[in-house]
Amino acid sequence: AQSVTQPDIHITVSEGASLELRCNYSYGATPYLFWYVQSPGQGLQLLLKYFSGDTLVQGIKGFEAEFKRSQSSFNLRKPSVHWSDAAEYFCAVGLEYGNKLVFGAGTILRVKS
Amino acid sequence: GAVVSQHPSWVICKSGTSVKIECRSLDFQATTMFWYRQFPKQSLMLMATSNEGSKATYEQGVEKDKFLINHASLTLSTLTVTSAHPEDSSFYICSAPRTGEPYNEQFFGPGTRLTVL
């Protein structure tokens, strides 16, 4: 069965520091991969997605992610974190042309000043 | 981007009562919508797929008689939690896909916090 693992439940980084959030997936074929951000009171917002092609994808708000097939990973990175980035981040695998999403457990990012 | 709304944003009810949650796609039509449930500190779990004009499809382990879904129009799906109990307290989120290539991007509502006393 398809699954997504986000091994870090909480991460705290200093403002201005770099960030990497880990995501591993289990899926037989080449997956559609997504990163979403959830802020309190707001719906999930798509940060970036990967289907095929260049394995380094750029997203909104300065985020990027790299697809590594050999490691079944799709880690999210940002070179310099801002206080407004504090939120919960979800990695997801899309099935059925993106219609069905299997989410990881999420990583809560805290940013300290 | 496309907008999906949910109403209410939070609701408190007594055990045994029924609660209806609405999900609307505001600026696009959606023949399919999805309902998720999110427990505290846990991920979103897909509950069911709402299909306009036909029966909803429920994921394994989800009681269809407890969670009634109606997709009455191309912009509205409702989830009714019937005879709610404290264990139904959760955060319910809907999403609607906007058709595109090569995939249908999902747009999420802000969620509804249900507390059953």
Side-chain angles (χ1 to χ4, degrees), chain A residues 49 51 97 99-100 103-104, chain B residues 34 38 43 59 103-104 106:
Chain A
K49 56 188 180 287
F51 307 136
Y97 301 103
N99 272 343
K100 282 196 171 183
F103 286 88
Chain B
F34 300 90
Q38 185 181 24
S43 186
E59 296 299 304
Y103 86 113
N104 303 321
Q106 295 282 348

Side-chain angles (χ1 to χ4, degrees), chain A residues 4 6 23-24 33-36 74 89-93 102-104:
Chain A
V4 179
Q6 293 180 246
C23 172
N24 292 92
L33 293 164
F34 305 87
W35 274 99
Y36 287 89
F74 189 56
Y89 292 80
F90 291 94
C91 181
V93 168
V102 176
F103 286 88

Side-chain angles (χ1 to χ4, degrees), chain A residues 16-65:
Chain A
S18 63
L19 170 71
E20 182 170 33
L21 302 183
R22 296 182 291 165
C23 172
N24 292 92
Y25 66 90
S26 172
Y27 185 61
T30 299
Y32 295 123
L33 293 164
F34 305 87
W35 274 99
Y36 287 89
V37 59
Q38 183 181 38
S39 299
Q42 298 185 24
L44 274 75
Q45 182 181 22
L46 180 65
L47 287 176
L48 46 77
K49 56 188 180 287
Y50 172 79
F51 307 136
S52 63
D54 193 347
T55 56
L56 183 64
V57 293
Q58 303 296 322
I60 62 172
K61 303 184 180 185
F63 286 92
E64 66 178 27

Side-chain angles (χ1 to χ4, degrees), chain B residues 2 10 12 17 21 40 50 59-60 68 82-84 92 99 101 116:
Chain B
W10 58 269
I12 300 173
T17 61
I21 302 170
S50 173
E59 296 299 304
Q60 191 172 9
L68 299 180
T82 62
S83 187
Y92 293 87
T99 303
E101 290 293 336
V116 185

Side-chain angles (χ1 to χ4, degrees), chain A residues 68-79:
Chain A
K68 293 185 177 180
R69 184 189 303 275
S70 62
Q71 298 176 20
S72 297
S73 69
F74 189 56
N75 294 347
L76 182 71
R77 300 194 293 250
K78 187 169 185 177

